[in-house]
Amino acid sequence: MNHVSMTNAVLVSLPMPFVEAILAARSALDDDAAVALHKSLEIARKLDRPVSDQPSHLIPTPERGKYAAEFLGVRFAADTLAGVFRRIVEMMAEVAPEALASLSEIRTRGRRLVAMNPCHIHPYSPHLPVLQTDAGWWISKNISQDQLVLALRKTCEVSRLTFGNDIKFPLR
């Protein structure tokens, strides 16, 4: 890596695909934030009241599922424990896909937490059901609450997040 120092400037040589990936991620993040803000304003206008300036963690979670969780301040609910993990994996795929690659290398009692190949989830029990996320990752559909907590803790470990702060489960 070369760098040239000028007055308060540093020139760094980076591969073009890396720069393009950074710009694409930034653009996608900006677009998603703009869409979310636009939708919030539209909803507030339809309700004919100002957008709440209350922190998101104080806004009640809509009752749409038996289990509630939170990922980086985004609360959600799912009907199953596998549904909770699926949602976490999908959101992680958007913000830190490299963490999922690291998570896929971890095995617990003979199975992987996530995998790109469904056969790798239950290699010794192929009859057990699996579920594919929108991001293309496979997870077990057969998961207990203890296994989910372990999977979320491992997800935090590989992504340098904090369980109980960045990823919260259960919320109810």
Side-chain angles (χ1 to χ4, degrees):
M1 184 182 301
N2 298 328
H3 68 359
V4 176
S5 294
M6 298 179 221
T7 45
N8 295 330
V10 177
L11 178 63
V12 180
S13 177
L14 297 171
M16 286 180 63
F18 180 73
V19 173
E20 289 170 343
I22 290 173
L23 292 173
R26 170 71 192 270
S27 175
L29 185 60
D30 289 346
D31 291 347
D32 290 346
V35 168
L37 289 171
H38 182 69
K39 285 182 182 178
S40 294
L41 288 173
E42 284 179 357
I43 291 169
R45 285 188 186 117
K46 286 180 184 176
L47 297 175
D48 194 31
R49 63 180 187 208
V51 177
S52 173
D53 55 356
Q54 200 175 26
S56 64
H57 67 277
L58 298 177
I59 297 171
T61 304
E63 298 296 324
R64 284 186 233 137
K66 183 177 176 182
Y67 304 99
E70 185 176 306
F71 178 78
L72 297 176
V74 177
R75 290 181 175 218
F76 63 91
D79 291 328
T80 65
L81 295 167
V84 170
F85 191 49
R86 177 184 184 165
R87 188 80 185 273
I88 294 285
V89 169
E90 289 171 348
M91 288 189 276
M92 183 64 73
E94 289 183 28
V95 298
E98 69 282 356
L100 291 175
S102 296
L103 189 63
S104 71
E105 296 172 8
I106 297 174
R107 292 176 188 237
T108 61
R109 294 190 176 202
R111 74 177 184 186
R112 295 180 193 265
L113 300 170
V114 297
M116 289 306 285
N117 184 333
C119 298
H120 292 158
I121 297 297
H122 297 290
Y124 305 114
S125 302
H127 63 283
L128 293 175
V130 293
L131 179 66
Q132 188 176 29
T133 68
D134 294 341
W137 290 95
W138 291 88
I139 62 171
S140 177
K141 198 171 181 181
N142 184 37
I143 186 170
S144 69
Q145 186 160 338
D146 289 342
Q147 291 168 333
L148 175 60
V149 169
L150 174 66
L152 296 178
R153 287 185 184 279
K154 294 293 183 186
T155 302
C156 286
E157 281 179 29
V158 300
S159 61
R160 296 188 181 114
L161 297 175
T162 305
F163 184 75
N165 187 22
D166 300 314
I167 296 179
K168 298 177 184 176
F169 177 83
L171 289 181
R172 297 184 196 161

